[in-house]
């Protein structure tokens, strides 16, 4: 059983304050991951994390997107910001007993007009087979058309899903699923329990951007990416859950698709 788990940037950082990691939350999540990983010997796990107020702020400030040639200073700055958060997350995971091995996508990623075309994956199978937990993250990437671009964790998951075929993808954010409006701002917002390629058009209108600075399109673009993925791989299920509620990530890793939140699936 292979599962991809993303710790969203809005969960592990304060997305409204530059380079502010939520250290207590990262540590609690690391413990939940360790418990689930040890409790289920059949569970192979690949982790990813967003960039939150690290990469998104750096990208906005250096006007990273919208160029047609590589700006080396901006590329280095945004890549360094993404790597700083990755250092923090990796260290906490390892301290808490999760054998996380960081594989920064920018080391090998090549994109064409924003689409990820190549990523080195050779070591992932070996790490998974040996019981290690490969760790990827949202990162900068070279781009044949734009010079440089940003790949989200979801983009990386989509690329990897072709090769290593996860049974489930869990996206843990600060909200327990996809809502009809932003539940942080609108008390009338209701949870959408399930999204399929057939119902996606209806929910597009309802989904807004995310709070804070987000250069990769917020919740809507992440859900769209996942809907396209389950349409191509109907055996795959994607859960969107809250990582702010203690125990939910552990439960999602051990209990399966009934862990609440929103289920995105290809089969109706
Ligand atoms: C964004 O990655 C990467 C950078 C801005 C460098 P994600 O799209 O995966 O991050 P979050 O979850 O939105 O913060």
């Amino acid at each position: 059983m292979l599962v991809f788990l993303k710790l969203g940037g809005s969960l592990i950082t304060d997305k409204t304050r530059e380079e502010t990691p939520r250290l207590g939350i990262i540590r609690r999540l690391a413990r939940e991951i360790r418990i689930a990983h040890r409790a289920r010997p059949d569970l192979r796990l690949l982790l990813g994390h967003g960039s939150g107020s690290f990469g998104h702020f750096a990208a906005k400030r250096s006007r990273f997107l919208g160029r047609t040639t590589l700006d080396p200073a901006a590329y280095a700055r945004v890549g360094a910001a993404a790597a700083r958060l990755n250092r923090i997350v990796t260290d906490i995971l390892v301290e808490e007993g999760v054998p996380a091995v960081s594989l920064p996508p920018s080391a090998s990623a090549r994109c064409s007009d924003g689409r990820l075309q190549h990523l080195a994956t050779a070591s992932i199978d070996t790490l998974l087979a040996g019981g290690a937990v490969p760790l990827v993250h949202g990162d900068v990437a070279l781009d044949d058309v734009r010079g440089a671009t940003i790949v989200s964790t979801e983009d990386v998951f989509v690329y990897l899903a072709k090769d290593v075929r996860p049974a489930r993808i869990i996206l843990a954010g600060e909200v327990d699923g996809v809502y009809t409006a932003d539940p942080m701002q609108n008390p009338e917002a209701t949870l959408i329990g399930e999204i399929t390629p057939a119902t996606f058009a209806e929910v597009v209108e309802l989904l807004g951007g995310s709070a804070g600075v987000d250069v990769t399109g917020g919740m809507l673009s992440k859900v769209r990416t996942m809907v396209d993925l389950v349409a191509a791989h109907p055996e795959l299920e994607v859960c969107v859950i809250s990582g702010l509620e203690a125990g939910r990530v552990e439960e999602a890793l051990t209990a399966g698709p009934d862990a609440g939140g929103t289920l995105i699936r290809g089969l109706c």
Side-chain angles (χ1 to χ4, degrees):
M1 169 83 168
L2 173 61
V3 175
F4 290 0
L5 166 65
K6 176 183 179 183
L7 307 177
S10 60
L11 173 63
I12 61 170
T13 73
D14 178 344
K15 252 190 134 170
T16 62
R17 290 167 59 213
E18 186 160 13
E19 303 218 0
T20 310
R22 291 164 135 177
L23 296 173
I25 291 176
I26 301 171
R27 194 164 292 279
R28 174 179 53 74
L29 292 166
R31 289 184 187 141
E32 291 188 28
I33 293 164
R34 180 200 60 217
I35 291 167
H37 196 232
R38 291 201 183 153
R40 289 196 53 180
D42 64 318
L43 177 67
R44 290 182 304 136
L45 187 60
L46 182 141
L47 290 179
H49 68 80
S51 212
S53 58
F54 285 72
H56 286 289
F57 271 74
K60 189 131 200 237
R61 171 164 307 133
S62 59
R63 297 187 179 81
F64 184 83
L65 295 176
R67 297 172 188 267
T68 50
T69 53
L70 177 70
D71 176 332
Y75 191 78
R77 249 184 253 120
V78 179
R84 276 195 291 281
L85 179 60
N86 181 246
R87 176 80 272 142
I88 293 168
V89 174
T90 308
D91 285 347
I92 292 176
L93 284 165
V94 173
E95 278 163 27
E96 293 299 332
V98 178
V101 179
S102 177
L103 301 173
S106 56
S108 63
R110 298 298 303 227
C111 294
S112 186
D113 209 10
R115 293 190 75 85
L116 185 54
Q117 305 287 346
H118 169 78
L119 192 64
T121 58
S123 51
I124 287 181
D125 278 336
T126 314
L127 288 167
L128 287 170
V133 176
L135 173 65
V136 297
H137 61 89
D139 207 348
V140 292
L142 296 173
D143 189 297
D144 297 343
V145 176
R146 305 178 186 175
T149 191
I150 283 172
V151 287
S152 69
T153 311
E154 284 80 358
D155 294 331
V156 175
F157 278 3
V158 167
Y159 186 91
L160 295 177
K162 285 186 297 184
D163 274 4
V164 289
R165 294 300 175 113
R168 295 176 63 216
I169 294 180
I170 301 166
L171 304 179
E174 60 176 349
V175 176
D176 65 334
V178 182
Y179 276 74
T180 53
D182 182 350
M184 306 273 190
Q185 324 240 327
N186 184 346
E188 314 261 287
T190 54
L191 179 72
I192 304 170
E194 184 172 290
I195 300 174
T196 67
T199 64
F200 182 57
E202 294 162 31
V203 296
V204 165
E205 301 283 305
L206 303 167
L207 303 183
S210 66
V213 177
D214 191 322
V215 294
T216 51
M219 183 59 111
L220 177 56
S221 100
K222 291 175 196 308
V223 173
R224 187 190 302 279
T225 303
M226 291 298 121
V227 168
D228 289 347
L229 181 64
V230 296
H233 302 283
E235 69 290 350
L236 172 63
E237 287 181 334
V238 179
C239 314
V240 184
I241 60 161
S242 166
L244 277 186
E245 283 173 43
R248 290 297 300 287
V249 163
E250 182 191 335
E251 193 187 335
L253 287 171
T254 52
D258 298 333
T262 299
L263 187 62
I264 303 174
R265 57 192 195 119
L267 295 170
C268 298

